[in-house]
Amino acid sequence: GESVGLHLPTLSVQEGDNSIINCAYSNSASDYFIWYKQESGKGPQFIIDIRSNMDKRQGQRVTVLLNKTVKHLSLQIAATQPGDSAVYFCAESKGAQKLVFGQGTRLTINP
Amino acid sequence: SAVISQKPSRDICQRGTSLTIQCQVDSQVTMMFWYRQQPGQSLTLIATANQGSEATYESGFVIDKFPISRPNLTFSTLTVSNMSPEDSSIYLCSANQGREQYFGPGTRLTVT
């Protein structure tokens, strides 16, 4: 069956450094990928998405990279700030409808 | 972006009882979704709710346990029936606006 997973369940970075969160997916038919940020007690918040016809997309301080050859997705956060502390989920879908979520990575920021 | 609210935000219920969770979207949306997030885990899709038709349930979830209503394009309810402690979880609704999917804040359910 299809599944989406993450290489690292926790990530600790120094404030100001760049963070890279990785995700592996197994459904080669997926054509849409999303990163969500979930803070404690809140619902997931959309960060950035990418379609399968792209390999890179940039937002404000965030970049998503997609490698379809190895079915790998990453989220890069530049100049990590204390407010970036959260759990980050990747999700994949076919047709931008129902989502399959990955395991989640907890990002903690060291001052 | 769509703004989604849920009621209640949390509840503590006794086993064997049922709880209905409400989800309200601030704009009309075609598809709404219900997810479960068990403590410390990821989100699992329960069902997709379309207005005017029966909900579509994912493997492992059945209508008798999780009946869903979708009376209009801005509202949906999820009922957790005949609850057991294993149903203790966060229940989240979401909706698509364009290709982006937005989530409500969740309902934290504890079954004793």
Side-chain angles (χ1 to χ4, degrees):
Chain A
E2 58 188 66
S3 66
V4 182
L6 290 167
H7 296 304
L8 298 172
T10 61
L11 178 65
S12 183
V13 300
Q14 290 296 123
E15 183 177 348
D17 286 354
N18 296 335
S19 302
I20 299 175
I21 302 171
N22 296 303
C23 177
Y25 66 95
S26 61
N27 186 359
S28 56
S30 293
D31 59 7
Y32 180 59
F33 305 88
I34 315 99
W35 282 100
Y36 284 93
K37 172 185 180 183
Q38 187 175 29
E39 297 174 284
S40 181
K42 298 182 179 180
Q45 176 188 357
F46 177 96
I47 302 174
I48 192 168
D49 61 357
I50 189 168
R51 290 189 183 277
S52 59
N53 62 352
M54 303 172 68
D55 53 20
K56 180 180 180 179
R57 189 158 187 243
Q58 288 185 292
Q60 187 175 15
R61 275 202 313 119
V62 294
T63 301
V64 56
L65 299 177
L66 175 63
N67 186 331
K68 295 182 288 294
T69 302
V70 295
K71 296 178 188 168
H72 184 267
L73 190 68
S74 69
L75 176 71
Q76 300 178 2
I77 304 174
T80 311
Q81 302 169 358
D84 294 327
S85 293
V87 177
Y88 289 81
F89 292 98
C90 63
E92 53 101 5
S93 75
K94 184 168 174 18
Q97 295 187 1
K98 65 177 187 179
L99 300 175
V100 175
F101 278 80
Q103 175 186 352
T105 293
R106 180 173 298 281
L107 177 65
T108 60
I109 314 303
N110 300 319
Chain B
S1 63
V3 177
I4 302 176
S5 58
Q6 289 183 231
K7 287 195 293 187
S9 58
R10 58 178 63 228
D11 207 344
I12 300 173
C13 302
Q14 291 191 339
R15 69 171 68 210
T17 63
S18 298
L19 175 72
T20 296
I21 302 167
Q22 299 179 8
C23 179
Q24 180 76 52
V25 188
D26 69 343
S27 57
Q28 294 185 340
V29 293
T30 303
M31 301 180 74
M32 295 180 72
F33 307 87
W34 286 98
Y35 290 83
R36 181 173 72 184
Q37 185 176 27
Q38 294 180 309
Q41 296 190 26
S42 187
L43 286 77
T44 300
L45 181 65
I46 297 172
T48 301
N50 293 326
Q51 194 265 339
S53 63
E54 281 197 6
T56 303
Y57 289 82
E58 297 299 306
S59 176
F61 299 96
V62 294
I63 187 171
D64 290 347
K65 176 67 176 178
F66 298 103
I68 287 171
S69 78
R70 181 80 200 275
N72 57 52
L73 291 173
T74 63
F75 187 79
S76 178
T77 68
L78 170 76
T79 299
V80 186
S81 303
N82 188 25
M83 288 183 283
S84 67
E86 291 72 34
D87 294 320
S88 296
S89 191
I90 299 171
Y91 292 86
L92 298 120
C93 70
S94 70
N96 276 7
Q97 191 165 69
R99 71 182 192 200
E100 295 182 14
Q101 192 167 129
Y102 297 93
F103 284 80
T107 296
R108 183 179 295 273
L109 171 62
T110 302
V111 184
T112 61

